[in-house]
């Protein structure tokens, strides 16, 4: 077990006892025709950070010290997600204000690579509210994984696409292999893939535009890196963030599960990220 994951689990136990951590209570919903997607129904009230009404205070400036896992540098800190979807769910945040809607920096990729070298897993990023972000302060999210554990329900499908043995999905995205995960070259490779995907997808470039030109999601694990361009945040009563494109969907009372069962998850994701 990586030291960051070990620290996150120990901090989680302490924070849950004090009430600083509020794990989301969910159950798996078996819905025929939706495999390999995993659907979970929210069993508690919708957390405040998932509601759209009204201005929100910045929970990361300052961050709750009871949720701090590790101070990585003068620029970044690793903290627990207050409303985790699993044990050890952590956020990588800058210690000073950086907008979620701005360009990710070389320092962001260096911090991510340093965490990943110790604690691998599924990373995801929602570029703004229209892409499913709940906070405007920059935060990249990590769901740690054991070495033999699949990163997400669509991990096998991503591997098949990279081998050329599976048709592309019906939305606008780029999927690239990673060759240097866990090495000294990881941060530079991540930054290069990020900027190449942004250019290829028409999202712009840091030297030409003050911020990306459209909402997008990032999903990455040690073997691959994916960028998805977003056209809307929700469909059929379902709010979709980056985890949707990893194969994880959250069902709430507003979700139209009849529509989902009739049309399927691929149609849902195409509706929010269609070409």
């Amino acid at each position: 077990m990586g030291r960051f994951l070990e620290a996150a689990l120990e901090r989680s136990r302490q924070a849950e006892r004090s009430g600083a951590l509020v794990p989301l209570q969910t159950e798996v919903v078996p819905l025929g025709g939706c495999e390999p997607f995993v659907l979970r129904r929210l069993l508690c009230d919708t957390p405040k950070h998932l509601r759209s009404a009204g201005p929100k205070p910045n929970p990361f400036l300052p961050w709750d010290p009871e949720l701090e896992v590790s101070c990585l540098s003068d620029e970044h800190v690793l903290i627990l997600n207050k409303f985790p979807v699993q044990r050890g769910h952590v956020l990588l945040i800058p210690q000073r204000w950086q907008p979620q809607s701005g360009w990710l920096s070389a320092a962001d990729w260096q911090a991510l690579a340093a965490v990943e070298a110790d604690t691998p897993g599924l990373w995801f990023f929602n570029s703004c509210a229209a892409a499913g972000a709940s906070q405007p302060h920059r935060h990249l999210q990590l769901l740690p994984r054991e070495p033999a554990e699949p990163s997400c329900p669509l991990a096998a499908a991503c591997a098949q696409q990279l081998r050329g043995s599976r048709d592309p999905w019906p939305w606008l995205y780029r999927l690239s292999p990673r060759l240097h995960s866990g090495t000294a070259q990881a941060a530079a490779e991540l930054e290069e893939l990020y900027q190449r995907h942004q250019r290829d997808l028409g999202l712009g470039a840091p030297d030409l535009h003050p911020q990306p030109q459209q909402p997008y999601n990032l999903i990455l694990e040690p073997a691959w890196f994916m960028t998805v361009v977003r056209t809307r945040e929700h469909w059929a009563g379902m709010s979709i963030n980056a985890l949707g494109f990893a194969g994880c969907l959250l069902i709430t009372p507003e979700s139209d599960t009849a529509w989902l069962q009739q049309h399927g998850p691929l149609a849902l994701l195409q509706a929010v990220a269609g070409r």
Side-chain angles (χ1 to χ4, degrees):
M1 180 185 297
R3 62 186 178 89
F4 289 125
L5 176 55
E6 187 174 5
L9 294 176
E10 176 56 31
R11 179 64 75 178
S12 294
R13 287 188 283 269
Q14 299 171 4
E16 193 168 351
R17 285 195 296 267
S18 71
L21 193 70
V22 186
L24 294 182
Q25 302 300 314
T26 64
E27 65 178 1
V28 174
V29 179
L31 206 60
C34 292
E35 301 82 3
F37 283 75
V38 174
L39 284 65
R40 288 187 170 274
R41 177 183 290 116
L42 189 65
L43 298 178
C44 54
D45 292 338
T46 303
K48 292 180 179 179
H49 76 292
L50 295 179
R51 303 172 192 165
S52 58
K56 303 174 183 177
N58 186 346
F60 306 142
L61 198 63
W63 59 91
D64 184 344
E66 290 195 66
L67 301 180
E68 183 176 323
V69 174
S70 178
C71 184
L72 302 173
S73 67
D74 290 340
E75 294 190 56
H76 289 87
V77 64
L78 198 64
I79 68 172
L80 295 174
N81 187 325
K82 184 177 180 67
F83 303 99
V85 299
Q86 69 161 62
R87 295 290 181 183
H89 183 177
V90 293
L91 308 178
L92 175 64
I93 66 170
Q95 295 198 40
R96 289 169 288 278
W97 165 258
Q98 294 291 339
Q100 186 79 348
S101 58
W103 295 104
L104 294 176
S105 68
D108 293 325
W109 294 118
Q110 290 162 6
L112 187 155
V115 174
E116 184 183 56
D118 173 83
T119 300
L122 182 74
W123 288 89
F124 62 100
F125 177 76
N126 310 309
S127 72
C128 58
S134 60
Q135 303 295 340
H137 186 120
R138 185 170 302 163
H139 58 289
L140 295 103
Q141 306 191 50
L142 170 64
L143 300 177
R145 297 287 186 258
E146 296 296 334
E149 183 182 6
S151 64
C152 63
L154 293 186
C158 287
Q160 290 169 355
Q161 283 203 27
L162 290 173
R163 292 195 299 267
S165 58
R166 182 187 177 92
D167 291 336
W169 287 302
W171 51 80
L172 187 56
Y173 71 103
R174 289 292 184 273
L175 174 66
S176 297
R178 294 181 58 194
L179 305 177
H180 300 292
S181 174
T183 73
Q185 293 79 40
E189 180 186 47
L190 286 167
E191 185 177 19
E192 190 278 327
L193 288 172
Y194 170 66
Q195 294 191 10
R196 178 173 12 124
H197 283 192
Q198 299 282 314
R199 291 192 301 270
D200 290 351
L201 292 167
L203 294 170
D207 57 341
L208 298 175
H209 304 95
Q211 65 182 36
Q213 300 298 285
Q214 285 184 253
Y216 68 92
N217 296 121
L218 300 178
I219 311 99
L220 59 134
E221 54 122 84
W224 46 263
F225 184 113
M226 181 161 60
T227 305
V228 179
V229 179
R230 297 295 298 274
T231 54
R232 55 177 58 86
E233 190 272 341
H234 65 278
W235 188 262
M238 299 184 66
S239 178
I240 309 297
N241 68 9
L243 285 180
F245 299 92
C248 303
L249 298 173
L250 185 65
I251 304 297
T252 67
E254 294 77 27
S255 301
D256 188 344
T257 54
W259 185 97
L260 181 61
Q261 189 160 30
Q262 178 182 356
H263 298 279
L266 295 184
L268 174 68
L269 297 184
Q270 185 177 13
V272 299
R275 295 179 181 277

